[in-house]
Amino acid sequence: MDCPLNDAVASPADAYRLLLCALSLIALSHYLIGAAIVSFVFLYNFLECHFLQDVLTGFRGSPVGLTYNSCSEIYQGVVSRCSLLHGRYLATLWLSSPHVQTCFLNFFGRPPVFNYTRQLYNTSDGGTIALDWLMSSDVSDGALPRDDADSKDDTTPLVVVIPGLTSDSSSAYLKHLAFYTAKRGWDVVISNHRGLGGVSITSDCFYNAGWTEDVRTVINYLHEKRPMAPLFVVGTSIGANVLVKYLGEDGENIPVAGAVAICSPWDLLIGDRFISRKLVQKFYDRALAIGLKGYAKLHQPHYARLANWEGIEKSLSIRDFDDHATRIVGKFETVDTYYRRCSSSIYVQSVSIPLLCISALDDPVCTREAIPWDECRANKNVVLATTKHGGHLAFFEGITASSLWWVRATNEFLDVLHSSKYMHVQKKIPKPHTPWDSPIDQGPYVNVTENGMVAASNDEQTTPEKEEEMEVVPANHHQTHERIKDEKVEQLSETDPKHDGSTSIAQNASVQRDAMPLDVIAPFRRYMGQLSKQNRWSIWLLVYIAVTTSWPLVGSALRLVFGKKSRGALPGELLRR
C-alpha cells in the first residue's frame, strides 16, 4: 500500500488510509503478543484466578476464617486444638482458580487405588442402598483383617459418608476421604444414594436434596450393628445439605458423636438463582443437568411412570429437571417449594451435636451468599470454617496436588473430637419441632384447670413458669385418687381375711374401674362450686354487662307496648333517680 506520510491530509478518508498504513507497518509478532495478553487477562478474570495474589502474599496462602459462638465448648475444647483450622490454606500453584480446581477434581482427581467391600441394605419401603465399606485393615500395610470387624463389641470409630449430587463411592474426592480416614485406623462406609453406585431403583422412592430418611435408617442400622463404636458422619455438597437437615430434624436423639459438612449449598433457592446468573455458572448448571438426565435414563421405567419423561429429556438446567422430575416424585407443589422445604439453612439452629462446616468463599457451585453466618454463630454446637479459595470439594494443596486440604482438616477435627469429652451421646428425648411443623397438627388437648378454666395443652414439657400461667391441676389431686383407692383396698382386706397384697391385683383393678365414674364427676362438681365461690365478682360482672347491653332493646319493646308510660323505665331515668 502506498502511504503518503509526507503529504498533507486532505480528507477524513485520507486520515483512515494513513492509520491503516501505520498499522500495516507493525510486525505480525507484535499483534500476536497483544492478542495473547488480552486473552490472558480475559481468562484470568473469567476463571477467577488468584495466582498473582498468591505471589504478592509470598505464597503464604490465606488464613482460615472461623465463625462460632463465643460460649462454644466445641470451639474451646476441640477446634482450638486443630492446627489446620488455625492455619492457612494455599492452593496448588498451577491450580490457582476455583474453576480449574473443580474441573481437575472431576476429570482427574488423582484418587488413591483400593477396593471397597459392598453391602446391599434393603429399606422398609423396598428400596436398596449400596453401602461400600473400607476397613482400616484394608489399607494398612501388612495388617490382618480384624476378627471383631462385625462384632457388637468393636470399638473402632466408624465414619459414614453421604455423597453429593449424582456422586457415588467411585468419585475421586470420596476416595481421598475414605482412604486417608482408613489410614488413620478408622473404618469408613459410604452410603450411596438410591439408584447410584451401580444399584437399580427397587421402589418408588428417590433421593433428593432434602431426603433424610435413608440417612436416618442407615445410621440407626450401623449403630445397632456396632453399638460400641463411636459413629461420625461426613456430608459433601448435597450430602452436606442432607446431613445438616437430618441433624436439625432429630436434635439430640441420634447416635452420632460428631459430624462434618463440606461445601453445603445451604439455601437451595439462593443457589438456584446463583447458578444461572453468569456464563461460567451456567456451564456447571448444564453439566449437572446432564448428570441428572443420565441418572434418570438409568431408571427410565420408574421416571416415565412417576414423572414427566418428555420434560426430563428436554431439561437444560437443574431447575428444569427438578420441575419435571424431583418435585413431582417428591410431591412438592412447585420447584421453589421444594427448594425452600429442603434447604438446610433453616435447620442449623436445631443442630444439637458437634458440627464442623467447611466452605470455600470462591465455590463456583455453592455460593457464599447462602451461608447462614448468623445461625452458625448463634448455635454453640456449630463451628463454620471458611477459606478464601478452594473451589467446590477440591482444596488441592502441594506442588503435585496429591492431597485435599478439607480431607486432612476433617480427619484432624474428628480425631480431636474423639479424644475429647465433647462427643455427643444419644439422648432419648422428643423430636424437636422443625420450622415446617404446624401447631394444628399437635393437638390441642383439653386441660381443665382448678378454677374451672379450659386451656389447650400439647406434648411440650411444662416449665414452672408455664405451670403458673396455665394453673394446672395440682399433684395432690392424683394423690387423692391414690388415697381413695388405698382406702378401698384396706376395706377389702378387713372384710376378707384371706386378702393380701399378692392376690389383690385383679381386685384393685376392678376397684379402679368402679371408682372411675366418681373420679370423673366429682371434679366437675368441685370446680363448679369453686367457680361460684372464687369468681363471684366475675359472674356479677358478666350479669351487669348482659343487662346493660340488652336493656335498650327491652326498653324499645316496652315503649312500643306501653307508649309514653314506659319512658320512665329507660336507663337514663333510672340513673338520674
Side-chain angles (χ1 to χ4, degrees), residues 113-130:
V113 179
F114 59 87
N115 295 317
Y116 294 103
T117 300
R118 169 151 294 187
Q119 174 189 0
L120 295 180
Y121 177 79
N122 297 321
T123 61
S124 59
D125 62 280
T128 304
I129 300 175

Side-chain angles (χ1 to χ4, degrees), residues 307-336:
N308 180 7
W309 182 252
E310 294 182 359
I312 293 175
E313 290 184 318
K314 298 178 181 178
S315 298
L316 300 177
S317 64
I318 299 176
R319 185 181 182 86
D320 291 342
F321 182 87
D322 289 338
D323 187 26
H324 298 297
T326 309
R327 75 164 185 87
I328 298 176
V329 176
K331 296 178 174 58
F332 295 96
E333 295 84 354
T334 65
V335 180
D336 286 351

Side-chain angles (χ1 to χ4, degrees), residues 248-564:
E249 288 176 344
D250 289 17
E252 294 190 15
N253 190 18
I254 55 176
V256 178
V260 182
I262 310 296
C263 295
S264 174
W266 295 113
D267 192 311
L268 302 179
L269 194 60
I270 295 178
D272 172 65
R273 304 297 188 265
F274 170 77
I275 205 168
S276 60
R277 183 183 304 170
K278 297 181 180 179
L279 179 61
V280 65
Q281 266 72 45
K282 291 181 179 179
F283 168 79
Y284 294 102
D285 194 12
R286 182 67 61 86
L288 291 173
I290 293 174
L292 290 171
K293 290 168 63 177
Y295 170 78
K297 289 180 179 179
L298 291 175
H299 314 290
Q300 181 175 351
H302 294 273
Y303 273 108
R305 177 170 51 88
L306 300 173
N308 180 7
W309 182 252
E310 294 182 359
I312 293 175
E313 290 184 318
K314 298 178 181 178
S315 298
L316 300 177
S317 64
I318 299 176
R319 185 181 182 86
D320 291 342
F321 182 87
D322 289 338
D323 187 26
H324 298 297
T326 309
R327 75 164 185 87
I328 298 176
V329 176
K331 296 178 174 58
F332 295 96
E333 295 84 354
T334 65
V335 180
D336 286 351
T337 302
Y338 160 61
Y339 290 154
R340 289 190 182 97
R341 292 291 182 90
C342 294
S343 295
S344 62
S345 58
I346 58 178
Y347 292 89
V348 176
Q349 60 185 352
S350 302
V351 174
S352 302
I353 73 166
L355 173 64
L356 172 66
C357 306
I358 298 178
S359 295
L361 299 182
D362 65 351
D363 193 320
V365 179
C366 301
T367 175
R368 61 187 294 178
E369 301 170 9
I371 298 177
W373 302 92
D374 292 339
E375 288 81 353
C376 292
R377 187 179 292 107
N379 193 329
K380 297 180 181 180
N381 300 301
V382 179
V383 176
L384 172 65
T386 55
T387 59
K388 190 175 182 180
H389 307 297
H392 186 66
L393 297 173
F395 296 84
F396 283 102
E397 59 182 356
I399 298 298
T400 60
S402 58
S403 63
L404 307 182
W405 176 86
W406 69 264
V407 171
R408 295 201 301 131
T410 297
N411 286 329
E412 182 185 40
F413 171 78
L414 296 181
D415 276 344
V416 176
L417 178 62
H418 179 245
S419 61
S420 70
K421 62 179 182 180
Y422 299 104
M423 284 196 304
H424 172 259
V425 179
Q426 184 176 12
K427 299 178 182 179
K428 298 292 184 179
I429 60 176
K431 183 178 178 180
H433 299 315
T434 63
W436 303 108
D437 283 343
S438 172
I440 298 177
D441 301 330
Q442 303 166 9
Y445 304 99
V446 176
N447 179 27
V448 182
T449 60
E450 201 172 41
N451 60 0
M453 300 297 290
V454 178
S457 63
N458 51 25
D459 295 336
E460 295 179 354
Q461 295 180 353
T462 307
T463 61
E465 293 77 11
K466 290 184 178 179
E467 290 180 359
E468 294 177 1
E469 296 174 0
M470 296 173 60
E471 299 183 5
V472 185
V473 178
N476 58 9
H477 176 67
H478 302 286
Q479 296 175 1
T480 303
H481 297 324
E482 297 295 334
R483 186 168 59 252
I484 293 173
K485 289 183 289 186
D486 293 339
E487 292 175 357
K488 293 191 175 184
V489 172
E490 292 176 0
Q491 294 175 2
L492 288 175
S493 300
E494 293 175 356
T495 57
D496 187 2
K498 297 181 180 180
H499 176 79
D500 57 4
S502 61
T503 61
S504 63
I505 298 177
Q507 296 176 354
N508 192 13
S510 176
V511 170
Q512 290 183 14
R513 288 193 296 269
D514 296 339
M516 188 173 298
L518 297 176
D519 293 340
V520 173
I521 297 173
F524 281 99
R525 293 178 177 175
R526 185 173 65 256
Y527 294 150
M528 293 303 297
Q530 292 177 351
L531 181 63
S532 61
K533 294 178 181 179
Q534 299 178 2
N535 298 322
R536 60 173 63 93
W537 292 108
S538 300
I539 294 176
W540 285 114
L541 180 61
L542 292 175
V543 171
Y544 172 76
I545 294 174
V547 171
T548 54
T549 54
S550 62
W551 188 256
L553 298 177
V554 176
S556 300
L558 293 175
R559 188 184 303 111
L560 293 175
V561 176
F562 298 102
K564 296 181 179 180

Side-chain angles (χ1 to χ4, degrees), residues 232-251:
F232 303 91
V233 186
V234 178
T236 58
S237 192
I238 287 294
N241 187 83
V242 174
L243 169 61
V244 176
K245 185 172 181 287
Y246 158 68
L247 298 179
E249 288 176 344
D250 289 17

